[in-house]
Amino acid sequence: ITDTNKKGTLVTQKDAEGKEVDTFVTDKDGYVITPEKLSAGTYEIREVKAPEGYVRQGYGSLTGSEYTEEQKKQLQDPIQITIASDTEYKVDAQGNPYLEVEQYDREIKGKLTLTKFGEKLTDGSGPRMRTESGEESSVTWSYQKSRVEGAKFELYAKEEILAPYGSGTVLYQKDALVDTLTTDESGIAEKADLPLGSYYLKEVTAGTHYVRMTDPIDVTLKAEDDMAAVVYADKEVTNDRQKLSISLVKQDAVSKKPLEGVEFGLYAKEDIYPELFGGEKKALIQKDALIETGRTDKDGKLTFQSDLPHGKYYVKEVKSIPGYVANAEMWDIDATYDPANQDASVLSYTHTFENQPTETRITKRDAATGKELEGAKLQVLDAK
């Protein structure tokens, strides 16, 4: 309490134990009563420390329309009182006059800002793949870290969240759902006016192309002092992009033995567009474009190496091997993103192709009559 009549000097009084004090502390009911009477004059009451969880008088910005001008004045300006002969007093049960004033504090709140990142297909440089004609074509599979829209998170209380005024009131039980947050087009989700305490986030929906995070994200909102109205918690998370694996097995249709050296091509079944682009948006890969070729190994297996985005593709045999009939089968692959599979880091697609072996039939006939001749012995020799 400052005595303005004495150029801002602190009022010093003796407490019940005879100790001189110049700072007064409210009791459990929020009251403070000066141990001695104040002389006539004008005084200014300033809060020097707010209760835990509250903003000290005069600190923290007051923006928005939630506060009236009178409330702003009470929260920002020191209380001024004047004790004079015409001051209106109250009288207690013992008949003693007293002057009562009220000081308001506001609760410190927390604000959580979550920013979600992930790789997106862009139109940068990429690998060069050989086409059926032997020429090279430029295929772009470049990805760039960017913000992710549509990811959904649930916010839970990690502990009992209590009201700050010491009443013991439980605002949220441990593990109670507090709110659901969804990232916007900027990849940001926010939650304001949170009571201080410990929370955790669980990802519910990862967003298109991404693997859902299974580990919780801890969020702690704790005030370091009583001079800020808002405690901020900023969290950045990056999700893995879901990968695709396309493989096949080639075997003899009769003996089922693996066939080595059979060439296959991987094609786009639809136009593929970049998610990040500059200027006019054009198809990065056009429908039916050859993306990659490869040959089966000694086990008859082939796995394509392209780091493919989600989409629709098809695989067909490009070049067979001697002794087998070419297989005209076309294997369609629908590898579009499915949220039901968001927990899988890799989506695997596999297929078995079979080739019929060729047969050579030799007939021995009489040159004059054309009659087939029995008993002739022949040899099949290498041409060299």
Side-chain angles (χ1 to χ4, degrees):
I1 301 175
T2 304
D3 188 345
T4 59
N5 298 300
K6 295 182 180 180
K7 299 181 180 180
T9 58
L10 289 177
V11 172
T12 301
Q13 295 185 347
K14 291 183 179 181
D15 61 16
E17 298 176 355
K19 181 182 178 181
E20 287 192 347
V21 293
D22 57 14
T23 303
F24 308 92
V25 183
T26 55
D27 61 19
K28 61 183 180 62
D29 297 317
Y31 284 93
V32 60
I33 301 174
T34 57
E36 299 179 35
K37 294 179 181 180
L38 292 170
S39 303
T42 301
Y43 298 88
E44 195 171 76
I45 303 173
R46 289 181 177 271
E47 186 174 39
V48 293
K49 186 178 185 303
E52 184 177 354
Y54 285 89
V55 186
R56 192 194 310 179
Q57 174 201 64
Y59 287 84
S61 61
L62 294 170
T63 58
S65 59
E66 65 268 31
Y67 297 103
T68 66
E69 290 303 314
E70 180 60 29
Q71 288 173 326
K72 288 181 179 180
K73 182 175 177 61
Q74 290 175 343
L75 293 169
Q76 293 290 87
D77 299 336
I79 299 172
Q80 287 195 347
I81 59 172
T82 298
I83 299 174
S85 58
D86 58 349
T87 302
E88 294 184 3
Y89 302 101
K90 293 183 179 182
V91 180
D92 63 19
Q94 288 74 38
N96 298 313
Y98 68 93
L99 184 63
E100 184 178 65
V101 293
E102 293 181 339
Q103 165 66 47
Y104 294 93
D105 282 344
R106 54 194 172 122
E107 182 183 343
I108 299 174
K109 291 295 186 74
K111 182 176 181 180
L112 168 63
T113 301
L114 174 70
T115 308
K116 173 76 174 284
F117 291 93
E119 289 184 336
K120 289 188 177 181
L121 182 64
T122 183
D123 53 358
S125 61
R128 299 181 67 81
M129 299 299 178
R130 187 170 61 82
T131 65
E132 292 178 75
S133 63
E135 299 175 351
E136 288 188 337
S137 63
S138 179
V139 178
T140 302
W141 298 127
S142 293
Y143 297 88
Q144 180 178 318
K145 183 178 178 180
S146 185
R147 301 189 179 203
V148 178
E149 179 183 4
K152 184 182 292 185
F153 292 83
E154 290 178 339
L155 179 65
Y156 292 88
K158 190 175 182 179
E159 60 186 6
E160 280 190 341
I161 306 297
L162 304 176
Y165 33 82
S167 65
T169 302
V170 178
L171 302 177
Y172 297 105
Q173 296 286 352
K174 182 181 178 182
D175 296 319
L177 176 63
V178 177
D179 204 353
T180 300
L181 290 70
T182 303
T183 57
D184 59 18
E185 61 183 6
S186 300
I188 295 174
E190 294 182 325
K191 175 63 178 177
D193 294 327
L194 281 169
L196 301 184
S198 295
Y199 302 84
Y200 63 91
L201 286 161
K202 286 177 63 177
E203 188 167 45
V204 180
T205 304
T208 305
H209 306 310
Y210 302 101
V211 182
R212 186 177 68 92
M213 298 176 61
T214 56
D215 293 335
I217 304 164
D218 289 335
V219 178
T220 301
L221 296 170
K222 182 180 179 181
E224 297 298 328
D225 51 44
D226 60 356
M227 294 181 287
V230 181
V231 173
Y232 296 94
D234 296 324
K235 295 290 179 178
E236 290 188 1
V237 295
T238 301
N239 285 57
D240 293 333
R241 178 172 51 86
Q242 193 174 64
K243 302 297 183 69
L244 304 179
S245 176
I246 297 177
S247 59
L248 59 90
V249 176
K250 186 69 168 178
Q251 63 185 23
D252 186 301
V254 178
S255 67
K256 307 302 180 184
K257 74 174 183 178
L259 300 180
E260 182 180 3
V262 183
E263 187 172 338
F264 285 87
L266 172 64
Y267 298 80
K269 193 174 178 62
E270 60 186 3
D271 289 348
I272 299 176
Y273 292 89
E275 293 180 278
L276 298 174
F277 58 93
E280 184 181 356
K281 186 175 183 179
K282 296 181 180 180
L284 184 61
I285 304 295
Q286 293 185 339
K287 181 181 179 182
D288 296 320
L290 175 63
I291 296 172
E292 181 182 349
T293 59
R295 291 183 175 86
T296 56
D297 61 16
K298 61 182 180 62
D299 297 317
K301 296 180 180 180
L302 167 63
T303 299
F304 292 103
Q305 300 302 309
S306 292
D307 189 7
L308 299 169
H310 290 96
K312 294 182 179 180
Y313 304 92
Y314 64 90
V315 173
K316 67 179 182 179
E317 186 176 304
V318 174
K319 187 177 181 181
S320 186
I321 56 176
Y324 289 90
V325 179
N327 189 331
E329 177 187 0
M330 188 167 66
W331 172 32
D332 286 334
I333 304 160
D334 186 351
T336 51
Y337 183 76
D338 184 356
N341 297 324
Q342 65 176 346
D343 290 341
S345 58
V346 179
L347 295 181
S348 297
Y349 303 86
T350 187
H351 185 71
T352 298
F353 287 87
E354 293 186 341
N355 282 55
Q356 288 290 340
T358 57
E359 293 182 347
T360 301
R361 297 184 180 184
I362 300 173
T363 301
K364 182 74 171 179
R365 291 190 176 94
D366 184 294
T369 64
K371 180 180 178 181
E372 292 185 350
L373 302 178
E374 183 180 357
K377 296 180 179 180
L378 303 102
Q379 289 181 314
V380 179
L381 303 175
D382 186 276
K384 297 180 182 180

